[in-house]
Amino acid sequence: MKNKVDGKEKIRYDIFYRAALLCKGEYSMNIINIEHIDKIFGDKVIFHDASLGIQQGDKIGIIGINGTGKSTLLKIIAGEEEPDTGEVIYQNGLKTLYLPQNPEFPGEGTLASYVLKGDPQTDWQVESYLNILGITDLEVPFDTLSGGQKRKAAMARALSQDFDVLLLDEPTNHLDMEMIGWLEEYLRNMRKTLLMVTHDRYFLDRTVNKILEISRGSLYEYEADYSGFLERKAQREEMELASERKRQSILRIESQWAQRGCRARSTKQRARLERLEALKNGKAPVRDQNVELESQTVRMGKKTIELSHISKSYGDKVLIRDFSYIFLKNQKVGFIGKNGCGKSTLMKIIAGLVSPDSGTVERGETVRIGYFAQEEPEMDPSQRVIDYVKDMGEYFRTGEGRISASQMLERFLFTPDMQYSPIGKLSGGERRRLYLLGVLAGEINVLIMDEAGNNLDIPTMTILEEYLLSFQGIVITVSHDRYFLDNVADRIFEFDGQGGLRQYEGGYTDYLETKKSRPEEKKEVQQPQTKKEGNRDWKGQRQTKLKFSFKEQREYETIDQDISDMEEKIGKLEEEILANATNSAKLNALMAEKEEAEDALEKKMDRWVYLTELAERIEAEKNK
């Protein structure tokens, strides 16, 4: 695919420049070159003069906030969209394969008619992949498959084809943990080139060797996995800030020189004035904004949500059998299991949207539930974004007071221009973010989230995790995002596929470690036991804990530094108080800030005592 390019001389220069580098051995040939592309949708600049070289064997994870152009970039590389200017140049004979975020599925026919092409060389491979993914009946009507099963079928169909470059848009959406693990292993061992958009941070860490960040129309490439990217991005931003500080310093000095009445009489003075003008025209680094989520406190009485011996079946399929549980205040509970095992059904039962076949669900009078479903409800594509929010209320209560619908939208990164655009113009991720706003804007104390990460970008997921940790209420979540569960959940329930649920303490990493240490675990239905220290019974009563959870381990490793930083802050406040002893207004503010800081330090010290004692007990247990 070739498109219009601004300036033939520029292209000619690029060709000669590459030839020179090749002669010196400093340039390796790319299989795809993206050359100075621009892309604009309406008034929104997606790419501006963006360039990228992709080499054979690259495994690139593409990240950025929703609406920055991640899916658009994949479509441009796949040839499904064209840039407004610039070009994409491919190596001769290169075959690309693109699996979009929401593949188009047939409305009728069987699974076989969708995945099989009548070519023995590929059909056997499709059937092999489907068997691995737990799908054996190819004659089942396609429209009876679940969303996860359809996604598996699309993945098996795609991977069986011949390709050199694989383009995947959110491949882990709607997939269960088992399939994510298989896909992770497949991509890691694959010798083809990969470009992938995903919000799954553990998945990125284990599959890619490069991160491509899209920010404000530009592309930033990092030769690292996700963890390495975080470090290198911080370094890049610090260098940009250092350069800006230097620019401002020189600008101040040069401005003072100019104000002293210099005249551009000499060549040296003219050059200095020109440099001053260039410094004035320089631009400060701009960082991407983050979603602002604020935890609201809504009082909850003694009674929370109590599930008593609930069961649920559809036909011969038993999803939940005799499950009882009482959710504790401020508890964060994660549910995991294979696709179709009943996770979403249980969320709907807890939310009151579906009734159990037997058993009871009791909710306290003060319980206020917010339900964030796996798929956002249908939105009117012609309705303006601002009107969608105003349907919920003109004003919303926050910890800082009331804010308008427009201000609430700005907190969720909807600019004034976007607010007056129709919903139909939003990207899938932006619609998901709008739906999240609607759920969190309500006054709730129980938050039920079914696959919260679907279509949400990594920065939003990070902010959401921080919000959930400070949320003064109960969080009940279904998720396949292992990183999310590690950061949020303090208890995991796993569906066994036969209607039973097994309880594990801690986040996802803790769950895995416990599974490995108990290979003799039986699969039949049984209630969680409380004989071992470190468990709680089904009513949620905590026993003595003899190991750190994933989050506690991280907290223990950093708490000394946290305390040191807090003490240093209090010391600086004391110095400021002495320096402002005669300024009563400033002094009162500093005293209030110092009191708040001392309260925070006292709570942190209490936490330090708890973690230190726990560490000592763990060590003593090991030495027995």
Side-chain angles (χ1 to χ4, degrees), residues 547-558:
K547 72 165 195 164
F548 279 130
S549 71
F550 179 81
K551 289 185 291 183
E552 286 173 336
Q553 180 66 48
R554 292 197 308 174
E555 185 181 5
Y556 181 62
E557 291 168 355
T558 61

Side-chain angles (χ1 to χ4, degrees), residues 499-563:
L501 290 97
R502 180 174 282 274
Q503 175 182 311
Y504 298 85
E505 296 306 313
Y508 186 79
T509 299
D510 300 310
Y511 150 78
L512 281 182
E513 289 175 356
T514 306
K515 287 274 284 188
K516 290 176 183 176
S517 67
R518 296 194 304 192
E520 74 286 354
E521 251 184 2
K522 297 179 181 179
K523 290 189 176 181
E524 66 265 26
V525 181
Q526 61 182 73
Q527 293 293 347
Q529 302 299 309
T530 59
K531 293 179 181 178
K532 276 192 175 183
E533 289 185 291
N535 260 345
R536 300 178 191 173
D537 63 19
W538 70 274
K539 292 184 178 180
Q541 302 302 315
R542 179 179 282 282
Q543 306 295 320
T544 306
K545 200 171 183 181
L546 289 180
K547 72 165 195 164
F548 279 130
S549 71
F550 179 81
K551 289 185 291 183
E552 286 173 336
Q553 180 66 48
R554 292 197 308 174
E555 185 181 5
Y556 181 62
E557 291 168 355
T558 61
I559 196 166
D560 286 328
Q561 184 61 48
D562 293 341
I563 289 171

